[in-house]
């Protein structure tokens, strides 16, 4: 944006430029990339830097506090001339190629570049920090490096988190360990998608009602909605689960979104064995049909529906059909429909089945 404004101002022989003419030139140059707000910000910046003076006797122009005309107070310097010496003096790890082609971005990025340059020239802090810690130490803004703006800056500079001696920590999740002294080669992990189901199942585990599918629940994870998608591999930080075969089960609402989400987890973590926790889903479809309510978030989508149908094929045909009649017609059954008594009944039945198989 700034580059095109500078070209227009340099080529115009008039001391007073018409804001409409200036905007039309920029629109023609940028086409679909034009942004009215960005145009206004650059004009205000040129005024602030004393390159333009508003002709206040003219009417206001547009919704962003501009005037219809501006007087050229002094020539706008070429940004390459302004920043050229500095670019040549930056630390070797910092790439300047982008700024040689886009010199106007240098003005916006300069304060960040100088902080990174000082850090690298000082040898870099050998202590490994999280990206939030490094971001705060460099810019006094703990979220910058993790946001899109910070990531775009690093891309322009061709730097990585490793170059800044920082890393993105694995997001933790809330969990409850239920591992016995029996060194089974396989751990069974249940992800509860809601707070109600997590706390109810956790109480049952504490009471010793901890068997399902003829196996023992070793770890219960609170799914906390979609957040578990970015933090599921945190389970590898839990020492007793390392070097074990892990079987994951997921339980949530009977909904279009839940079954799509299970498939999403399978795609994100292909090395994990993730299945729907069938016993509780079975129990949900046994409830009174009036329990299913309208799913206001439901929007039919071909790709998502493909995911949903793939998950439903893991259920017995009768249960899959019952689930399909609910989730593919814009309805859902929330986990809150299951009471503690129902959970107890399901877990007791599964434990009895496990006992019969052992005998």
């Amino acid at each position: 944006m700034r580059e095109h404004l500078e070209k227009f101002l340099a080529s115009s022989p008039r001391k007073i430029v018409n804001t409409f003419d200036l905007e039309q030139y920029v629109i023609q140059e940028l086409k679909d990339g034009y942004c009215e707000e960005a145009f206004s910000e650059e004009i205000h910046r040129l005024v602030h830097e004393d390159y333009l003076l508003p002709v206040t006797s003219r009417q206001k122009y547009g919704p962003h506090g501009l005037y219809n005309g501006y007087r050229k107070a002094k020539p706008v310097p070429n940004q390459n001339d302004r920043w050229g010496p500095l670019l040549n003096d930056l630390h070797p790890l910092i790439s300047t190629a982008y700024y040689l082609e886009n010199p106007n971005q240098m003005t916006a990025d300069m304060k960040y570049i100088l902080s990174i340059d000082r850090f690298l020239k000082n040898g870099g802090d050998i202590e490994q920090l999280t990206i939030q810690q490094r971001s705060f130490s460099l810019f006094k803004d703990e979220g910058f490096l993790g946001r899109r703006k910070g990531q775009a800056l690093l891309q322009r500079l061709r730097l990585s988190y490793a170059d800044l001696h920082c890393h993105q920590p694995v997001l933790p999740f809330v969990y409850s360990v239920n591992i016995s002294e029996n060194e089974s080669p396989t751990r069974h992990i249940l992800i509860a998608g809601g707070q109600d189901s997590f706390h109810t199942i956790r109480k049952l585990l504490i009471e010793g009602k901890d068997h399902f599918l003829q196996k023992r629940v070793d770890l219960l994870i609170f799914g906390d909605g979609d957040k578990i998608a970015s933090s599921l591999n945190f389970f590898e930080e839990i020492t007793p689960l390392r070097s074990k075969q892990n079987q994951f089960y997921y339980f949530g609402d009977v909904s279009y979104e839940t079954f799509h989400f299970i498939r999403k987890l399978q795609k994100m973590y292909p090395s994990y064995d993730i299945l729907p926790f069938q016993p509780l889903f079975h129990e949900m479809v046994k409830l009174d049909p009036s329990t299913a309510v309208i799913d206001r978030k439901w929007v039919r989508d071909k790709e998502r529906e493909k995911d949903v149908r793939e998950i439903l094929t893991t259920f017995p045909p009768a249960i899959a059909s019952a689930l399909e009649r609910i989730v593919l017609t814009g309805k859902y059954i929330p986990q809150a429909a299951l009471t503690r008594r129902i959970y107890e009944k399901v877990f007791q039945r599964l434990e009895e089945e496990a006992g019969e198989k052992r005998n």
Side-chain angles (χ1 to χ4, degrees):
M1 179 73 73
R2 176 78 173 240
E3 180 181 359
H4 299 296
L5 289 172
E6 289 176 0
K7 285 182 180 178
F8 182 90
L9 293 172
S11 63
S12 174
R14 298 179 180 178
K15 290 185 178 180
I16 295 178
V17 294
N18 186 290
T19 309
F20 175 80
D21 294 338
L22 185 52
E23 184 178 30
Q24 291 305 305
Y25 174 81
V26 174
I27 290 173
Q28 183 178 359
E29 291 295 310
L30 294 178
K31 297 181 173 59
D32 292 341
Y34 173 75
C35 171
E36 182 181 33
E37 187 174 351
F39 171 78
S40 301
E41 287 178 358
E42 288 297 341
I43 295 294
H44 286 304
R45 189 173 290 116
L46 287 167
V47 171
H48 179 72
E49 295 171 4
D50 297 325
Y51 295 118
L52 292 179
L53 296 174
V55 180
T56 56
S57 60
R58 296 192 179 186
Q59 294 180 344
K60 288 292 185 75
Y61 180 87
H64 299 291
L66 299 182
Y67 285 89
N68 270 328
Y70 288 85
R71 185 183 303 276
K72 292 190 287 184
K74 58 183 179 180
V76 181
N78 182 286
Q79 296 298 312
N80 272 324
D81 294 339
R82 182 181 179 187
W83 298 119
L86 181 59
L87 288 174
N88 293 330
D89 191 46
L90 293 175
H91 188 277
L93 277 179
I94 297 176
S95 172
T96 60
Y98 176 88
Y99 298 100
L100 292 173
E101 296 181 4
N102 303 273
N104 297 301
Q105 184 64 43
M106 194 75 176
T107 302
D109 290 353
M110 183 50 62
K111 65 177 181 179
Y112 302 109
I113 295 173
L114 291 177
S115 292
I116 293 173
D117 182 56
R118 283 193 299 270
F119 170 78
L120 293 175
K121 284 179 178 176
N122 288 334
D125 186 348
I126 60 172
E127 182 183 6
Q128 283 290 330
L129 302 181
T130 67
I131 62 171
Q132 291 84 2
Q133 292 167 333
R134 181 64 69 209
S135 187
F136 186 78
S137 71
L138 289 174
F139 316 118
K140 294 299 181 284
D141 178 356
E142 69 275 17
F144 179 77
L145 286 175
R147 293 195 294 267
R148 186 176 299 176
K149 185 177 178 180
Q151 293 166 358
L153 172 71
L154 293 186
Q155 188 173 18
R156 290 194 287 272
L157 298 174
R158 295 184 184 175
L159 292 174
S160 66
Y161 289 149
D163 292 323
L164 301 182
H165 297 278
C166 63
H167 65 282
Q168 176 68 276
V170 178
L171 294 174
F173 50 66
V174 175
Y175 65 94
S176 179
V177 177
N178 188 47
I179 298 173
S180 67
E181 295 180 0
N182 181 20
E183 286 298 318
S184 170
T186 303
R187 297 299 190 194
H188 296 86
I189 302 166
L190 176 59
I191 304 170
Q195 290 192 43
D196 291 340
S197 54
F198 174 82
H199 287 296
T200 303
I201 294 173
R202 179 173 177 273
K203 289 178 181 177
L204 291 172
L205 298 182
I206 292 172
E207 294 170 9
K209 302 176 176 68
D210 55 8
H211 283 73
F212 66 91
L213 299 179
Q214 293 80 53
K215 303 293 182 181
R216 192 172 188 275
V217 180
D218 295 299
L219 183 71
L220 175 67
I221 296 173
F222 173 39
D224 196 13
D226 284 356
K227 292 180 182 179
I228 195 63
S230 58
S231 62
L232 185 55
N233 57 346
F234 177 72
F235 92 93
E236 295 172 8
E237 301 295 321
I238 303 171
T239 304
L241 297 174
R242 292 177 182 169
S243 303
K244 292 286 182 180
Q245 295 177 350
N246 295 288
Q247 173 68 66
F248 291 84
Y249 297 92
Y250 186 92
F251 172 65
D253 301 334
V254 170
S255 70
Y256 192 79
E257 189 58 35
T258 292
F259 296 125
H260 162 66
F261 184 65
I262 295 174
R263 185 66 184 127
K264 177 181 175 180
L265 288 177
Q266 291 176 340
K267 292 176 181 178
M268 288 183 68
Y269 299 94
S271 63
Y272 297 0
D273 192 1
I274 304 173
L275 295 170
F277 182 37
Q278 293 198 15
L280 288 176
F281 283 118
H282 289 193
E283 206 63 33
M284 297 272 269
V285 296
K286 292 179 185 178
L287 298 173
D288 189 291
S290 64
T291 307
V293 294
I294 295 174
D295 186 352
R296 301 191 184 280
K297 296 181 181 179
W298 182 68
V299 177
R300 198 152 200 167
D301 176 271
K302 287 185 179 180
E303 286 301 314
R304 289 192 170 207
E305 185 165 320
K306 180 182 176 182
D307 289 343
V308 170
R309 290 186 182 279
E310 285 187 23
I311 294 300
L312 292 181
T313 60
T314 65
F315 289 86
I319 302 298
S321 296
L323 292 169
E324 184 177 320
R325 285 194 295 272
I326 297 169
V327 302
L328 294 183
T329 58
K331 294 183 178 181
Y332 83 109
I333 301 175
Q335 298 161 71
L338 293 185
T339 64
R340 175 187 164 91
R341 186 173 297 175
I342 295 175
Y343 282 104
E344 280 187 315
K345 181 178 68 175
V346 172
F347 276 67
Q348 183 177 352
R349 185 184 74 242
L350 293 171
E351 190 166 1
E352 289 172 356
E353 292 174 1
E356 290 174 3
K357 291 205 171 187
R358 285 193 295 267
N359 297 329

